[in-house]
Amino acid sequence: MKIRIRLKNNMNIRTPIDRNTIISLLVASFPVLCLAYGNGYNLPPIFLLIVALGFCWQFKQINYTKQVKWVIGSFIFYFLTYVASTLYYGGSFSEIDHPSRIVLILPIFLLLLLYPPKTNILTTGFIIGSIIAGIVAIIHIYDFKLGRAFDDTFKTIHPSLKGYMPIQSGNMAMTLGLISLTISIYYLTLKSWWKFIFCLIAALLGIFASFLSGSRGGWVFLPIALIYLVVTNRQFITKKTACLSIFVLAVALFSLSQNTKIMTRLQSATQEISQYQQGADETSSLGVRFELWKSAIYTTEQHPIIGAGYQGRKALRELWSKEGLVNAEVISLFLDSHSHNQYLEDLSVRGIIGLTALLAIFLIPLGIFIKNHKTCDLPKQKMINQCGAISVIMMMGYCLTQAMFRHTSGIIFYSLVTVIFLAVSISMRERKA
């Protein structure tokens, strides 16, 4: 493909745009559009899948290393556990709708192994995406006067809110912010100060957007992610960078403490836990989660290996409420709801087999990122692997308080971001070899 540029003197210059650049731009559009509007996560994967199918005849040229095979195998295994459970319990095939996305991502993974995204375009996309997330969240809170950013409750008043979900969107904003933070560390190691500052601002906007969403579950693994970044970049930490980091962190914490909405969410969490422990309120946001978690554990005790299936889980929830093991009022309202914990959701519905499949799609990519990080020397390679690891670590945290993969946004976001960084990481490793 070529673009013709016409100059004032009527001379024509043909500027070639290679396939890698086009694919890189498509990949970068995903984080950019992800939170720009409610269903922004949908369009880029569709275009990437169409392009991938157009190049499927070239997939035989790929070097199917052990790492590539492990990724493909883990994604297919996760999907097949849903298929097997549906067939065994005679459930509806709508049950495999969400997990089917993880299989549809695989052609994109193979496409990106053929044409790895260019690092500068890819990182720019995540930085812009984090900035957009922060700006959108600020508009929602201070212009629309919403209680939480990314809340579609008032979509009839503000049509632009349609498609947002505060928990899902808040978690995605956190990941965008932390990936931008990882990129900022890369520029810090290069002593590229303006790029470092710009990326740091982008990171703070993304993280701030998550806090404005009030999605408390997205904050649980934030300290773990920060510790990971400190440990993996400890050789670059000097007195100056340490002082700068402490100063930025202090300013950020002070700013958060001045935001009444954020502090209210934190205080309400403490209050809800205290009330639940006293048996005073089991219908609060956290109280509902605790009751659903209890129900999932009781269900797992009855069907530990293959789970109870969705209909079986529903029947057992009714049984547990009748026996007084869980709050009947909560169960009546959330009878068909997921467990608000992806691990317990997979464990109760698909048993140990389902949980194993879930852990596989987390631990196999994480293991690849960690291994490739240890064996690489270039700062750019280390940055890519750190970005991938951070994304996996944070999603593992989100899944503690939300069934992220019971939502299209969650499974698309995780699987696509993961294969993007895996493709770049594996390609860089192969080029070095």
Side-chain angles (χ1 to χ4, degrees), residues 151-399:
D151 189 351
D152 69 343
T153 305
F154 300 99
K155 59 187 175 185
T156 54
I157 302 174
H158 302 288
S160 62
L161 294 173
K162 184 178 180 180
Y164 284 113
M165 292 179 64
I167 295 178
Q168 304 291 112
S169 301
N171 291 342
M172 288 190 283
M174 178 64 78
T175 295
L176 294 175
L178 286 173
I179 288 175
S180 296
L181 180 62
T182 307
I183 298 169
S184 75
I185 295 173
Y186 164 68
Y187 285 119
L188 180 63
T189 61
L190 299 181
K191 296 183 179 180
S192 182
W193 301 110
W194 287 112
K195 290 182 179 179
F196 163 68
I197 293 171
F198 182 72
C199 292
L200 186 60
I201 293 171
L204 293 175
L205 281 170
I207 295 171
F208 187 54
S210 179
F211 278 97
L212 290 179
S213 74
S215 305
R216 296 169 297 201
W219 314 338
V220 176
F221 269 29
L222 178 58
I224 295 175
L226 295 176
I227 291 171
Y228 166 78
L229 287 177
V230 170
V231 171
T232 52
N233 295 286
R234 58 189 179 277
Q235 68 270 31
F236 303 113
I237 298 176
T238 63
K239 289 183 179 180
K240 289 183 179 180
T241 56
C243 291
L244 178 62
S245 299
I246 292 171
F247 173 75
V248 171
L249 182 61
V251 172
L253 289 174
F254 176 77
S255 300
L256 292 175
S257 67
Q258 300 305 303
N259 189 290
T260 56
K261 295 183 183 295
I262 294 173
M263 296 310 296
T264 299
R265 291 289 293 171
L266 291 172
Q267 291 169 2
S268 66
T270 305
Q271 185 178 4
E272 287 173 10
I273 292 173
S274 177
Q275 290 176 342
Y276 182 82
Q277 290 175 334
Q278 296 170 9
D281 187 5
E282 295 178 341
T283 60
S284 64
S285 177
L286 289 179
V288 168
R289 280 175 166 78
F290 293 149
E291 291 301 297
L292 291 173
W293 295 353
K294 283 166 57 178
S295 172
I297 292 170
Y298 293 138
T299 300
T300 302
E301 290 175 351
Q302 292 288 320
H303 301 274
I305 306 301
I306 60 174
Y310 288 109
Q311 294 304 314
R313 193 259 303 273
K314 180 179 178 180
L316 287 172
R317 278 181 174 174
E318 292 177 323
L319 177 63
W320 306 142
S321 65
K322 289 177 181 178
E323 293 182 353
L325 295 175
V326 293
N327 186 291
E329 181 184 354
V330 169
I331 294 301
S332 65
L333 294 173
F334 295 90
L335 191 60
D336 294 309
S337 171
H338 56 70
S339 301
H340 277 280
N341 179 304
Q342 192 64 55
Y343 304 101
L344 293 177
E345 175 74 4
D346 285 52
L347 191 58
S348 61
V349 176
R350 286 170 294 282
I352 293 173
I353 295 174
L355 179 63
T356 302
L358 175 66
L359 293 176
I361 64 172
F362 286 144
L363 299 181
I364 288 175
L366 182 60
I368 291 172
F369 288 128
I370 292 174
K371 181 178 180 180
N372 290 356
H373 182 273
K374 288 181 179 179
T375 56
C376 69
D377 300 318
L378 298 177
K380 185 179 292 186
Q381 289 178 274
K382 291 184 179 295
M383 179 265 292
I384 288 295
N385 286 298
Q386 287 176 23
C387 286
I390 281 291
S391 175
V392 177
I393 290 169
M394 291 307 297
M395 185 57 72
M396 292 175 72
Y398 305 150
C399 287

Side-chain angles (χ1 to χ4, degrees), residues 408-429:
T408 304
S409 58
I411 198 160
I412 287 180
F413 184 83
Y414 173 73
S415 56
L416 185 53
V417 170
T418 301
V419 301
I420 287 170
F421 286 116
L422 279 171
V424 179
S425 172
I426 293 171
S427 298
M428 286 179 166
R429 176 186 171 90

Side-chain angles (χ1 to χ4, degrees), residues 33-217:
L33 297 178
C34 211
L35 294 173
Y37 61 98
N39 293 313
Y41 56 84
N42 269 328
L43 201 56
I46 293 173
F47 282 125
L48 282 168
L49 180 59
I50 293 171
V51 173
L53 294 177
F55 285 94
C56 63
W57 56 276
Q58 292 187 6
F59 290 169
K60 60 184 179 182
Q61 300 174 14
I62 296 171
N63 181 15
Y64 289 91
T65 63
K66 286 184 179 180
Q67 291 187 349
V68 174
K69 290 177 181 177
W70 274 104
V71 172
I72 295 173
S74 64
F75 278 32
I76 292 176
F77 178 45
Y78 184 72
F79 173 68
L80 289 179
T81 59
Y82 279 81
V83 175
S85 178
T86 301
L87 293 174
Y88 183 79
Y89 286 110
S92 168
F93 275 95
S94 62
E95 295 172 3
I96 66 173
D97 178 43
H98 290 116
S100 67
R101 293 339 191 254
I102 203 168
V103 175
L104 293 175
I105 289 295
L106 289 178
I108 299 176
F109 176 49
L110 299 178
L111 173 71
L112 300 184
L113 288 171
L114 277 173
Y115 302 103
K118 295 185 177 181
T119 307
N120 60 331
I121 297 177
L122 177 63
T123 54
T124 300
F126 278 96
I127 292 163
I128 294 173
S130 187
I131 292 171
I132 290 175
I135 293 172
V136 169
I138 290 170
I139 291 172
H140 288 176
I141 294 295
Y142 298 105
D143 186 20
F144 292 178
K145 308 297 181 183
L146 303 179
R148 302 173 66 179
F150 310 116
D151 189 351
D152 69 343
T153 305
F154 300 99
K155 59 187 175 185
T156 54
I157 302 174
H158 302 288
S160 62
L161 294 173
K162 184 178 180 180
Y164 284 113
M165 292 179 64
I167 295 178
Q168 304 291 112
S169 301
N171 291 342
M172 288 190 283
M174 178 64 78
T175 295
L176 294 175
L178 286 173
I179 288 175
S180 296
L181 180 62
T182 307
I183 298 169
S184 75
I185 295 173
Y186 164 68
Y187 285 119
L188 180 63
T189 61
L190 299 181
K191 296 183 179 180
S192 182
W193 301 110
W194 287 112
K195 290 182 179 179
F196 163 68
I197 293 171
F198 182 72
C199 292
L200 186 60
I201 293 171
L204 293 175
L205 281 170
I207 295 171
F208 187 54
S210 179
F211 278 97
L212 290 179
S213 74
S215 305
R216 296 169 297 201

